[in-house]
Amino acid sequence: MKNLIILFCFLVSFSIKAQTDNNPECTKVFLIRHAEKDRTDKANSNPHLNSLGTKRSLKWKGFFKNIDFDIIYSTNYHRTLETIKPFSDNGTELVIYNPSKIDYNEFVSKNKGKTILVVGHSNTIPTFTNGISNKKLYNNIEDNNNSNLYVVNICDGIDPQNSLYFIE
């Protein structure tokens, strides 16, 4: 019985992956928090990346090197824009968004069939992921964690598929 359940889960996940990969109406959204920020001035609400953050932004560049983003969404802060700078200067459309004013249904509708990167913050990326998934799956990211990668696949007629990875 246990083997049948495992086989069933494998076949369902394989079927969803095949539908996602072969369906041009699927939307793939990658979501990350900004890299490590400079914390030397506690009063600065818009700090730049520190040296670890600069290194992480280069790691993200390497990680995403084989992904052709149609659009990159970022909040309008030094740390988010600097996180994507190493790989966003290639002509990919950059959209500045306000996390408190985003309509998730409109976002999904407007970006149907696209591959998108969203960069935000410890409290906005989990909320964004939950919003486009129509599920409450993720809580705020711990303050010292800048390595989460959320991936959401949205295809017509299929429940959104969510994955969470840790990229060190």
Side-chain angles (χ1 to χ4, degrees):
M1 183 67 174
K2 183 178 177 184
N3 289 339
L4 284 175
I5 292 171
I6 292 170
L7 178 61
F8 175 76
C9 290
F10 172 76
L11 291 174
V12 168
S13 66
F14 179 76
S15 171
I16 289 170
K17 175 155 179 38
Q19 290 173 354
T20 301
D21 290 345
N22 297 322
N23 187 342
E25 294 303 314
C26 288
T27 305
K28 187 166 218 159
V29 185
F30 297 82
L31 304 101
I32 62 173
R33 179 188 181 195
H34 62 79
E36 289 84 350
K37 64 184 177 182
D38 181 352
R39 297 175 181 268
T40 55
D41 180 0
K42 303 286 185 210
N44 185 357
S45 63
N46 192 14
H48 292 274
L49 295 182
N50 64 21
S51 61
L52 288 174
T54 300
K55 289 177 186 174
R56 183 173 305 278
S57 69
L58 294 172
K59 285 183 181 182
W60 283 124
K61 176 184 179 180
F63 183 84
F64 291 130
K65 71 181 176 190
N66 295 318
I67 299 174
D68 293 324
F69 292 112
D70 296 301
I71 300 174
I72 298 174
Y73 282 79
S74 177
T75 58
N76 197 18
Y77 288 89
H78 295 306
R79 59 193 176 272
T80 52
L81 295 169
E82 291 170 4
T83 298
I84 59 170
K85 181 154 181 51
F87 56 93
S88 64
D89 287 343
N90 62 358
T92 302
E93 180 182 358
L94 176 62
V95 175
I96 302 297
Y97 76 97
N98 181 334
S100 65
K101 296 184 178 177
I102 192 112
D103 179 321
Y104 300 114
N105 291 325
E106 182 182 321
F107 173 87
V108 170
S109 175
K110 187 165 94 173
N111 292 297
K112 193 173 193 176
K114 295 180 180 174
T115 301
I116 303 153
L117 174 65
V118 178
V119 184
H121 307 272
S122 62
N123 60 335
T124 65
I125 288 300
T127 301
F128 203 115
T129 305
N130 293 337
I132 63 175
S133 301
N134 292 316
K135 299 176 185 174
K136 175 75 169 112
L137 298 172
Y138 304 108
N139 296 316
N140 289 352
I141 302 168
E142 293 293 324
D143 192 48
N144 63 349
N145 178 357
N146 298 83
S147 63
N148 286 7
L149 167 64
Y150 301 82
V151 181
V152 181
N153 291 304
I154 305 165
C155 299
D156 286 341
I158 301 172
D159 198 28
Q161 301 300 302
N162 296 274
S163 303
L164 171 59
Y165 304 94
F166 303 97
I167 311 299
E168 284 303 321

